[in-house]
Amino acid sequence: MGKLRFASVWMGGCSGCHMSFLDLDEWLFDLAEAVEVVYSPVADIKTFPENVDVTLVEGAIANQDHLELIHTIRKNSRLVVSFGDCAVTGNVTAMRNPLGGADVVLDRAYQDAQLLRPQVPHDDGIVPPLIDRVLPVHAVIPVDLYIPGCPPPAKRIRAVLQALIEGKPPEMIGREMLKFG
Amino acid sequence: MPRTLTINGQEISARSDQTILEAARDARIPIPVLCHLDGLTDVGACRMCLVEVAGSNKLLPACTTRVQEGMEVRTDTERLRAYRRQIIELLFAERNHVCAVCVANGHCELQNLGIEVGMEHVRYDYLFPKLGVDLSHERFGMDHNRCILCTRCVRACDQLEGAHTIDVMGRGAKSLIIHDMNVPWGESITCTSCGKCVMACPTGALFKQGSTVAEMVHDAEKLAFLKAARERKVWNV
């Protein structure tokens, strides 16, 4: 069997899930043997490629860019994995939802709290427009697997990736594999 | 009069005044619970302990259903497991349970049940209600975002402290835990600041002020001790 074409994506999250991924330490060498990294925030690849076997999605869907990218990811990936609590539940990224739409938080960040020339960035292509409600990934596209945790501990990430490399469904059972937070 | 019944095919005997939950526990047969707390009366609110009883097409809460002679109870069928997961998912969807930034992270009965029922994601749309945090009490806080309306605090305040400061206002998903006639907790004239409600809370809804993420450990078992000690008049003086 050839190498798995592997991607990871950083959406509306803090990158903590990717930091936890790096906590795989020396097992990353074993992983590098088994997969070909075709897209990732730790690799400088500009466009999401086609024919991806596994894509880990960190973060919730919070802005227009995420919304567009996630559909490309679904179209081009065999397995989409919600990677961490923001992707699975919305988590901290979605804590703005009870406050109302995007304007409420933009005003708070760019208008109310600023003393000098308060203004919301508005030029096209500068900042992707926020969508009104932050959504977990599975609320936008079908998701194949979920790795909860904020962040998921490295052991949990390894257990999932190991199973996928061996072509088996990972066993998501018990505190080691399922604890949120 | 003892009663003989079967739970999951295992024959057990129980006292006639026992509930299915009590009988099952005596026989070391686990049934998940959330609104039940040893030392408080049962209300059958959360439906986590639903069981199948032969001859009834309804699922019955084990905590409020008395044992009967010849009863055949099943506690762990495919249908029950599906409903339990559904209940937990709906509780997560109804309010803002963000485990990562919760005082009770790691010490939360709702979080633990999520693990037990195998919840790796929530299939329902999150409601994201706008709810407040009451920090008016000098020692404790109430975060409505984490509340699951189990009423354990209501019952602890009423049945163990005898103050009945806490009650429930509203209906359905819009219900809220209130103090006195819906005044800020710190302005309640009946609250004795005993903290029994905080001990009883299964989630991060009630906490000691100053607790930060993952620091709030509840002492729910102390309430059962308190009740038993009162009934038996046993005190270490």
Side-chain angles (χ1 to χ4, degrees), chain A residues 88-89 91-92 94-95 97-98 133 138 146 150 174-175 178-181, chain B residues 98-100 105-106 111-112 115 118-122 126-130:
Chain A
V88 180
T89 73
N91 200 34
V92 173
M95 283 175 73
N97 286 352
R133 179 167 271 212
H138 68 268
Y146 300 84
C150 181
R175 203 169 188 88
L178 283 182
K179 184 180 162 288
F180 285 85
Chain B
V98 188
C99 298
N105 186 12
Q111 191 182 37
N112 291 346
I115 295 165
M119 185 188 84
E120 89 299 14
H121 80 291
V122 171
Y126 288 91
L127 299 184
F128 297 116
K130 190 172 186 181

Side-chain angles (χ1 to χ4, degrees), chain B residues 6 9 41 45 68 74 79 81 129 133 140 150 162 166 170 177 182 184 187 194 207 210 215 220 227:
Chain B
T6 65
T41 56
Q68 283 173 23
R74 294 251 151 222
R79 177 161 72 137
R81 279 198 292 272
V133 180
F140 308 122
C150 65
I166 310 177
I177 293 294
N182 196 20
E187 289 172 27
C194 70
F207 54 90
E215 280 186 354
K227 183 184 181 230

Side-chain angles (χ1 to χ4, degrees), chain B:
Chain B
M1 265 292 281
R3 298 275 184 270
T4 306
L5 63 153
T6 65
I7 302 183
N8 301 339
Q10 181 185 335
E11 196 162 272
I12 64 165
S13 61
R15 291 195 318 272
S16 59
D17 63 344
Q18 279 191 309
T19 62
I20 296 174
L21 180 67
E22 288 166 338
R25 286 191 166 182
D26 285 351
R28 297 176 184 231
I29 298 167
I31 298 177
V33 292
L34 195 49
C35 71
H36 166 88
L37 184 61
D38 290 345
L40 304 177
T41 56
D42 283 307
V43 289
C46 74
R47 320 310 274 184
M48 274 308 286
C49 68
L50 286 179
V51 292
E52 288 181 11
V53 176
S56 167
N57 56 4
K58 285 191 252 176
L59 300 174
L60 301 172
C63 69
T64 55
T65 308
R66 291 274 165 90
V67 294
Q68 283 173 23
E69 184 62 34
M71 210 178 214
E72 290 172 34
V73 181
R74 294 251 151 222
T75 67
D76 197 25
T77 63
E78 199 65 41
R79 177 161 72 137
L80 291 170
R81 279 198 292 272
Y83 277 126
R84 283 175 191 147
R85 174 163 171 175
Q86 201 172 10
I87 290 164
I88 294 296
E89 284 183 44
L90 288 167
L91 286 173
F92 269 92
E94 189 172 291
R95 296 213 173 178
N96 304 307
H97 296 280
V98 188
C99 298
V101 289
C102 180
V103 286
N105 186 12
H107 316 284
C108 172
E109 293 178 39
L110 181 67
Q111 191 182 37
N112 291 346
L113 281 169
I115 295 165
E116 202 177 313
V117 300
M119 185 188 84
E120 89 299 14
H121 80 291
V122 171
R123 290 165 291 176
Y124 308 104
D125 288 344
Y126 288 91
L127 299 184
F128 297 116
K130 190 172 186 181
L131 293 162
V133 180
D134 184 348
L135 292 172
S136 58
H137 192 281
E138 61 178 354
R139 287 169 54 203
F140 308 122
M142 163 98 213
D143 184 349
H144 293 280
N145 294 285
R146 319 294 195 198
C147 177
I148 55 167
L149 299 164
C150 65
T151 70
R152 277 161 48 162
C153 56
V154 176
R155 284 173 282 150
C157 183
D158 179 40
Q159 295 165 12
L160 294 176
E161 180 60 8
H164 204 127
T165 300
I166 310 177
D167 221 316
V168 187
M169 176 181 86
R171 290 286 180 275
K174 294 210 166 119
S175 302
L176 269 190
I177 293 294
I178 54 166
H179 294 84
D180 288 349
M181 297 300 277
N182 196 20
V183 297
W185 193 354
E187 289 172 27
S188 163
I189 52 167
T190 59
C191 176
T192 61
S193 301
C194 70
K196 291 188 181 70
C197 54
V198 180
M199 290 182 196
C201 181
T203 69
L206 290 166
F207 54 90
K208 291 176 191 146
Q209 284 206 22
S211 307
T212 178
V213 171
E215 280 186 354
M216 185 60 223
V217 182
H218 297 90
D219 301 311
E221 57 288 348
K222 272 191 192 157
L223 298 176
F225 166 81
L226 197 60
K227 183 184 181 230
R230 274 186 195 162
E231 283 170 358
R232 293 188 212 130
K233 302 195 186 320
V234 185
W235 297 99
N236 297 320
V237 187

